């Protein structure tokens, strides 16, 4: 990189800001209880274990911001170059010691809200006129309090029932919605899941159909989501199999045998039965069991290699609409839909285009069919999850449009083999159906006067400029919202944001979850830079880069990211740092990792087109990152690298991570690296034979079976400790990561090295040292 010639050997990698040190310091200083009370409090890092005590600001698991001190004018906002963005994960998984947001039922009165801007009542609303009216903290309008909601004020002007009402004292709570909040003023019923299984030759041969049918009954269906305290799930289930035609199954309770009905007209699919297609698990248990044992036998001789996909989604959508319910389609699909039918695709696999100006032609959808289908699904509250099992190109860039628009997920198991990949598929499926989920949701963000939400990033649909529509949203999905200045803010009043999500719960109740956050307003840039959160900024920049990469060329996207990084740091240098020589690089404390993290975005599969990576893999990464919460994106861009060779077998804690650089590895070491999607165990060739014997049951590293994806169950403390660690690392993530074992200098080592993000990339991308030199040069150019 330019700029290196003048200053050889100047930068010692150990002197450069280290993510490990920053994460470690925050854990030491900020673990324990986080009280959300003072407005503008910066929460602990996403990697720090904390328990939030909600005192009027929302738990940071639900909402985080790039800044907690907002500049008071638009000019100051522009000058700092830090975008004001919120990352919202409305149904994030809580720490077991935290309580779920309470549900407030105000009966016929329904949720209390401001007359003018329609914001919901929250702790920042001011009661006036003896409690007969309240003044909105968002728009300033005063609204009359309904007689049944009235309470007197105490001597400080607070309602006497403040601490008995969650909506007056907490940052996050839920309201039970009335019929006015429902489609056609009709309260919804419980949602449904439809399992749609590809039974073509490929799926039978790989063992997929057999494995799914074997495990659905005992390992997946018993985990369907249910309300807290409920004994069984209210969710109904249905089953469809397909290749070139579709087969529906009637499971009406009371029948002695299930019935199969075939739909062969794929040009105009319809659901051949209404009664008996969607059933409750407890009522049709025997029929479901018999169906799942029969499916592999019915299709055992299948020679069909052509499959359809469009009609399958259309049929699932039609089934939910006909039953008048919302829900989710879980589609298990193996190959490019080339059969003559709606949604038929052609093969446009051309790896050479990646990294060129033409790459967007293979990363964006090849036609509008799946985009329009996704929009129809959203309108009906039908979310789609695709489980893909391709042995060749399947065009994720086109078919993932449906999950993208409906808030669904894409799971990909390339070259699927039931014995090796089965445990991962079943774990993913069980996690997907059991985690907290909301259906047919609409999210709206309101802000106090002077700021307003202008841009929305993530996997969802918007038919207007304010409402984010999600056919479903689960505990792992995050949405990014950029907020812009409209007008001057006041330091005394601060600023507020309220995200309200209207949704149908797993038991079919219409509810509103309200998430509130209050900010300080500052007149000094130094206050802004002292109260930023870098992980949220990186999540936002990555999602902006995704959008840009689908519209412009890759070189431009990378350069824009570097420029943004340099501009932020140059502003800090110019306005907040004490005068010092131009040769010194000065970084703000809470943004000192901005260069290393920006470089991680640039180097990731998200933006780098190298011939090592397929077009489908690239599209899959784009889809996955676009819906990531801050928790998922922080480890995706800077992976966690854990040394295992010297762990204490009797300890239970996770060892301290080390920096992602090959120089930090020892030849006699063993390391586990993970980024939330990939899990690799790297074994140095000098590792002690005792260690290998205890963990792998063989004499030396050379004898380890690297095709295995599970660790042997050996009866010794070290083996139990290593397996326990792998299990804990997996439990911490939304997806089940398959374990890959890589020996030093093996052919798979480059895959491992790609995760060592501080080093130079195999595709020529810059190391952290080079990137920092380059950014430093850019900052000096901007300042001069």
């Amino acid at each position: 990189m330019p700029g290196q010639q003048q200053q050889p050997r100047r930068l010692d990698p150990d002197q450069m800001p280290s993510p490990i040190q920053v994460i470690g310091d925050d854990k030491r200083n900020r673990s324990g209880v986080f009280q959300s009370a003072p407005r503008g409090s910066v929460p602990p890092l996403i990697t720090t274990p904390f328990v939030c005590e909600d005192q009027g600001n929302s738990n940071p698991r639900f909402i985080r911001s790039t800044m907690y001190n907002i500049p008071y004018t638009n000019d100051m906002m522009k000058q700092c170059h830090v975008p004001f963005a919120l990352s919202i994960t409305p149904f994030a998984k809580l720490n077991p010691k935290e309580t779920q947001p309470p549900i407030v039922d105000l009966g016929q009165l329904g949720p209390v809200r401001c007359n003018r801007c329609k914001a919901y009542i929250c702790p920042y609303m001011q009661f006036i006129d003896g409690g007969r009216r309240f003044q909105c903290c968002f728009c300033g309008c005063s609204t009359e309090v309904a007689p049944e909601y009235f309470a007197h004020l105490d001597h400080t002007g607070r309602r006497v029932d403040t601490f008995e009402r969650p909506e007056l004292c907490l940052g996050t709570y839920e309201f039970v919605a009335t019929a006015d909040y429902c489609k056609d003023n009709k309260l919804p019923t419980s949602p449904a899941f439809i399992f749609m299984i590809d039974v073509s030759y490929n799926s039978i041969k790989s063992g997929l159909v057999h494995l799914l049918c074997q495990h659905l009954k005992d390992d997946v269906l018993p985990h369907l989501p249910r309300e807290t305290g409920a004994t069984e799930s209210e969710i109904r289930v249905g089953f469809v199999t397909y290749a070139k035609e579709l087969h529906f199954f009637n499971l009406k309770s009371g029948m002695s045998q299930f019935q199969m009905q075939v739909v062969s007209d794929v040009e105009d699919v319809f659901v051949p039965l209404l009664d008996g297609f969607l059933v409750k698990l407890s009522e049709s248990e025997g029929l479901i069991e018999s169906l799942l044992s029969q499916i592999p036998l019915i299709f055992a001789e299948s020679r069909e290699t052509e499959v359809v996909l469009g009609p399958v989604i259309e049929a699932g959508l039609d089934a939910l609409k006909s039953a008048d319910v919302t829900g989710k389609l879980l589609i298990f699909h193996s190959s490019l839909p080339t059969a003559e039918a709606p949604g038929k695709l052609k093969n446009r696999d051309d790896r050479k285009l990646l990294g060129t100006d033409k790459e967007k032609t293979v990363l964006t959808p090849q036609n509008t069919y799946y985009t329009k289908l996704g929009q129809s699904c959203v309108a009906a509250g039908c979310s789609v999850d695709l489980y893909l099992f391709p042995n060749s190109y399947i065009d994720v860039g086109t078919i993932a449009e449906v999950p993208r628009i409906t808030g669904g997920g894409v799971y990909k198991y390339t070259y699927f083999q039931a014995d090796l990949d089965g445990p991962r598929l079943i774990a993913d499926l069980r996690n997907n159906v059991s985690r907290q989920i909301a259906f047919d949701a609409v999210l709206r963000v309101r802000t106090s006067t002077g700021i307003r939400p202008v841009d929305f990033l993530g996997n969802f649909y918007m038919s207007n400029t304010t409402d984010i529509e999600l056919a479903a949203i689960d505990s792992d999905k995050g949405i990014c919202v950029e907020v812009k200045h409209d007008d001057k803010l006041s330091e005394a009043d601060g600023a507020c944001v309220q995200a309200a999500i209207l949704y149908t719960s797993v038991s079919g109740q219409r509810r509103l979850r309200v998430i509130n956050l209050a900010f300080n307003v500052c007149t000094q840039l130094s206050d802004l830079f002292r109260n930023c959160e870098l992980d949220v900024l990186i999540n936002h920049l990555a999602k902006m880069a995704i959008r840009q990469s689908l519209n412009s060329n890759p070189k431009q996207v990378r350069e824009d990211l570097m420029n943004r990084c340099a501009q932020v740091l140059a502003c800090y240098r110019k306005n907040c740092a004490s005068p010092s020589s131009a040769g010194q690089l000065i970084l703000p404390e809470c943004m000192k990792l901005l260069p290393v993290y920006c470089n991680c975005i640039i180097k990731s599969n998200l933006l780098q087109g190298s011939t090592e990576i397929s077009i489908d893999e690239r599209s899959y990464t784009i889809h996955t990152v676009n819906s990531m919460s801050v928790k998922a994106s922080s480890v995706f861009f800077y992976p966690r690298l854990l040394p295992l060779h010297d762990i204490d077998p009797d300890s239970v804690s996770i060892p301290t991570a080390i920096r992602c650089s090959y120089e930090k590895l020892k030849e006699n070491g063993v390391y586990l690296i993970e980024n939330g999607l990939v899990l690799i165990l790297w074994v140095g060739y000098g590792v002690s034979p005792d260690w290998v014997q205890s963990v792998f049951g063989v004499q030396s590293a050379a004898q380890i079976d690297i095709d295995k994806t599970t660790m042997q169950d050996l009866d010794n403390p070290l083996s139990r400790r290593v397996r326990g660690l792998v299990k804990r690392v997996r439990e911490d993530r939304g997806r089940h990561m398959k374990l890959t074992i890589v020996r030093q200098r093996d052919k798979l080592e480059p895959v491992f090295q790609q995760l060592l993000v501080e080093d130079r990339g195999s595709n020529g991308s810059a190391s952290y040292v080079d990137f920092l030199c380059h950014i430093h040069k850019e900052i000096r150019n901007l300042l001069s």
Side-chain angles (χ1 to χ4, degrees):
M1 248 189 198
Q4 267 196 293
Q5 292 77 25
Q6 309 101 347
Q7 34 176 319
R9 296 189 303 281
R10 281 274 297 282
L11 266 182
D12 169 9
D14 288 334
Q15 296 305 308
M16 301 183 337
S18 146
I20 304 306
Q21 182 219 327
V22 170
I23 289 169
D25 288 350
D26 199 75
K27 270 188 183 150
R28 273 187 297 283
N29 302 329
R30 307 210 57 194
S31 289
V33 175
F34 168 65
Q35 295 181 326
S36 75
R39 77 172 187 215
S41 314
V42 183
L45 289 181
I46 205 88
T47 40
T48 297
F50 67 89
V51 174
C52 176
E53 224 170 74
D54 185 338
Q55 299 176 337
N57 272 317
S58 178
N59 188 326
R61 294 182 216 285
F62 298 131
I63 185 167
R64 284 177 177 261
S65 174
T66 52
M67 56 177 74
Y68 293 86
N69 249 347
I70 308 170
Y72 81 121
T73 62
N74 187 14
D75 290 345
M76 194 171 151
M77 189 69 132
K78 283 195 180 121
Q79 193 187 348
C80 76
H81 292 286
V82 181
F84 176 18
L86 308 164
S87 176
I88 305 170
T89 311
F91 296 96
K93 197 173 163 187
L94 296 178
N95 180 306
K97 293 181 182 152
E98 295 170 341
T99 47
Q100 286 294 337
I103 299 172
V104 178
D105 189 350
L106 297 175
Q108 280 317 106
L109 175 65
V112 176
R113 52 201 304 201
C114 165
N115 265 345
R116 186 200 287 157
C117 73
K118 300 289 183 256
Y120 297 94
I121 190 87
C122 73
Y124 303 108
M125 303 283 193
Q126 199 75 45
F127 285 88
I128 51 175
D129 192 10
R132 284 185 287 277
R133 313 175 69 76
F134 66 85
Q135 192 168 6
C136 177
C137 57
F138 296 97
C139 71
C141 169
S142 84
T143 298
E144 206 163 310
V145 174
E148 60 267 52
Y149 195 70
F150 175 81
H152 290 287
L153 307 184
D154 65 12
H155 63 284
T156 64
R158 273 182 122 146
R159 279 174 59 128
V160 292
D161 61 355
T162 295
F163 293 105
E164 287 145 42
R165 290 195 175 273
E167 71 275 22
L168 300 182
C169 63
L170 295 181
T172 313
Y173 41 86
E174 299 201 342
F175 286 115
V176 175
T178 51
D180 326 345
Y181 289 84
C182 307
K183 285 192 180 139
D184 307 326
N185 278 23
K186 211 167 84 200
L187 290 169
T189 50
S190 54
F193 283 2
I194 304 179
F195 295 86
M196 312 184 91
I197 304 169
D198 166 347
V199 288
S200 63
Y201 176 68
N202 281 344
S203 303
I204 300 287
K205 194 179 67 170
S206 68
L208 169 65
V209 175
H210 185 81
L211 177 99
L212 261 180
C213 292
Q214 187 189 348
H215 286 280
L216 269 172
K217 170 79 180 57
D218 296 329
D219 296 339
V220 178
L221 295 174
H223 297 277
L224 289 174
R226 48 178 191 242
E227 288 293 355
T228 320
T231 49
E232 65 166 326
S233 174
E234 291 298 318
I235 293 209
R236 286 177 286 165
V237 293
F239 299 88
V240 174
T241 54
Y242 69 93
K244 242 174 137 167
E245 47 185 31
L246 285 75
H247 324 103
F248 289 79
F249 298 94
N250 184 347
L251 299 166
K252 191 177 164 104
S253 66
M255 294 199 312
S256 57
Q257 179 60 24
F258 67 84
Q259 291 170 343
M260 173 164 116
Q261 301 199 344
V262 181
V263 173
S264 48
D265 178 6
V266 290
E267 288 301 325
D268 184 19
V269 288
F270 64 97
V271 179
L273 69 151
L274 275 183
D275 201 22
F277 176 58
L278 296 175
V279 294
K280 264 185 87 166
L281 199 53
S282 54
E283 288 162 12
S284 302
E285 200 159 2
L287 289 171
I288 292 174
E289 194 161 338
S290 131
L291 169 67
L292 291 173
S293 63
Q294 289 295 310
I295 286 176
L297 303 173
I298 299 173
F299 300 102
E301 298 307 308
S302 166
R303 289 283 167 268
E304 191 53 77
T305 51
E306 281 198 310
V307 290
V308 297
L309 178 59
V312 179
I313 301 173
E314 287 178 18
L317 168 62
D318 186 41
L320 292 177
K321 274 163 74 171
S322 309
D324 204 12
V325 295
T326 57
K328 193 192 235 314
L329 312 180
L330 297 101
I331 302 178
F332 302 85
H333 188 79
S334 68
S335 49
L336 189 70
T338 51
E340 225 21 86
K344 173 184 175 177
L345 296 176
K346 55 180 194 284
N347 189 333
R348 50 168 192 169
D349 185 16
D350 187 355
R351 268 189 206 199
K352 293 193 295 295
L353 297 179
L354 290 183
T356 71
D357 287 2
K358 288 213 178 85
E359 73 168 21
K360 57 178 176 290
T361 58
V362 288
L363 295 175
T364 50
Q366 56 173 284
N367 58 35
T368 59
Y369 172 82
Y370 288 96
T371 309
K372 288 181 175 149
L373 183 53
Q375 291 167 4
S376 308
C377 286
V378 173
C382 163
S383 172
V384 178
D385 286 339
L386 283 182
Y387 287 80
L388 303 174
F389 307 88
N391 292 336
S392 55
Y393 178 71
I394 197 168
D395 201 351
V396 176
T398 300
I399 60 179
E401 276 291 275
V402 185
R404 177 182 75 82
I405 292 170
T406 62
V410 175
Y411 297 79
K412 187 162 144 299
Y413 311 82
T414 311
Y415 303 118
F416 179 83
Q417 288 171 276
D419 52 341
L420 293 180
D421 304 291
R424 176 174 149 226
L425 166 63
I426 299 306
D428 276 342
L429 192 51
R430 188 170 52 227
N431 178 45
N432 184 17
V433 304
S434 63
R435 63 186 162 187
Q436 188 168 8
I437 182 168
F439 298 93
D440 197 17
V442 181
L443 174 75
R444 179 112 181 228
V445 177
R446 293 181 173 84
T447 54
S448 43
T449 311
I451 50 176
R452 72 192 160 97
V454 289
D455 200 3
F456 305 87
L457 300 156
N459 292 344
F460 49 75
Y461 179 61
M462 291 184 83
S463 53
N464 56 31
T465 54
T466 52
D467 296 327
I468 294 173
E469 297 173 46
L470 297 134
I473 178 169
D474 60 59
S475 56
D476 291 309
K477 303 279 191 297
I479 288 163
C480 215
V481 180
E482 188 168 352
V483 181
K484 285 270 201 293
H485 252 276
D486 255 357
D487 206 352
K488 264 199 183 132
L489 298 169
S490 101
E491 262 189 296
D493 298 341
C496 305
V497 164
Q498 183 180 81
I501 183 161
L502 175 65
Y503 72 98
T504 300
S505 77
V506 292
S507 62
Q509 191 178 45
R510 200 70 178 147
R511 292 186 195 152
L512 252 162
R513 178 169 284 205
V514 184
I515 297 169
N516 300 289
L517 189 56
F519 299 89
N520 281 331
V521 168
C522 61
T523 54
Q524 300 296 321
L525 281 167
S526 54
D527 287 333
L528 178 144
F529 280 106
R530 248 201 311 278
N531 296 281
C532 283
E533 193 179 344
L534 183 58
D535 290 322
V536 185
L537 177 59
I538 294 302
N539 182 287
H540 173 73
L541 291 177
K543 291 180 183 183
M544 288 295 278
I546 287 175
R547 177 191 290 173
Q548 201 187 345
S549 68
L550 297 174
N551 296 312
S552 73
N553 69 17
K555 189 163 170 275
Q556 189 62 49
V557 181
R558 297 196 288 268
E559 282 178 4
D560 284 357
L561 258 169
M562 286 186 216
N563 289 343
R564 290 199 80 156
C565 176
Q567 283 173 323
V568 168
L569 298 174
C571 168
Y572 175 78
R573 176 69 200 257
K574 185 173 162 198
N575 298 289
C576 311
S578 46
S580 53
S581 81
Q584 219 178 340
L585 179 61
I586 297 176
L587 303 169
E589 189 51 38
C590 65
M591 288 234 192
K592 63 182 179 191
L593 300 176
L594 181 61
V596 65
Y597 287 166
C598 269
N599 194 29
C600 290
I601 298 180
I602 290 169
K603 293 164 77 92
S604 73
N605 285 352
L606 201 57
L607 299 182
Q608 283 291 355
S610 67
T611 43
E612 325 279 279
I613 177 177
S614 67
I615 292 176
D616 277 340
E617 187 58 33
R618 181 83 183 276
S619 293
Y620 164 73
T621 307
I622 285 173
H623 179 278
T624 308
V625 174
N626 206 35
S627 68
M628 275 185 180
S629 64
V630 178
K631 180 180 176 185
S633 62
S634 73
V635 72
F636 176 76
F637 290 113
Y638 194 94
R640 182 160 61 154
L641 178 61
L642 306 171
L644 302 190
H645 44 276
D646 48 11
I647 48 175
D648 173 2
D650 301 324
S651 163
V652 289
S653 60
I654 290 185
T656 305
I658 60 169
R659 296 178 73 154
C660 291
S661 169
Y662 205 81
E663 285 178 7
K664 300 284 174 206
L665 307 181
K666 300 180 175 143
E667 298 202 328
N668 62 354
V670 179
Y671 301 87
L672 188 69
I673 194 165
E674 60 109 4
N675 70 354
L677 299 178
V678 181
L679 181 66
I680 295 177
L681 186 70
W682 181 89
V683 183
Y685 66 77
V687 64
S688 100
D690 292 350
W691 202 98
V692 175
Q693 182 67 52
S694 299
V695 176
F696 293 102
V698 292
Q699 312 286 302
S700 70
Q703 294 173 311
I704 296 172
D705 180 358
I706 56 171
D707 294 330
K708 279 230 165 59
T709 58
T710 49
M711 315 265 313
Q712 268 176 288
D713 243 335
L714 301 174
D715 188 17
N716 66 67
L718 186 61
S719 166
R720 282 191 289 273
R721 171 81 165 113
V722 171
R723 279 179 295 140
L725 256 172
V726 169
K727 185 167 177 269
R728 269 190 64 188
V729 165
R730 279 184 176 145
E731 281 168 354
D732 211 21
R733 306 287 169 224
R735 305 225 167 180
H736 184 88
M737 300 176 281
K738 179 168 99 173
L739 182 69
T740 306
I741 298 166
V742 172
R743 280 185 302 234
Q744 187 174 8
R745 298 184 193 160
D746 265 1
K747 63 178 189 304
L748 274 179
E749 202 179 40
V751 179
F752 166 72
Q753 282 172 305
Q754 205 188 342
L755 296 171
L756 300 176
V757 289
E758 292 198 21
D759 298 341
R760 217 186 156 80
S762 57
N763 50 14
S765 57
S767 69
Y768 180 17
V769 173
D770 293 345
F771 188 78
L772 202 57
C773 292
H774 177 71
I775 289 294
H776 189 188
K777 188 166 151 269
E778 290 294 305
I779 294 170
R780 293 211 305 255
N781 290 345
L782 286 167
L783 292 175
S784 60

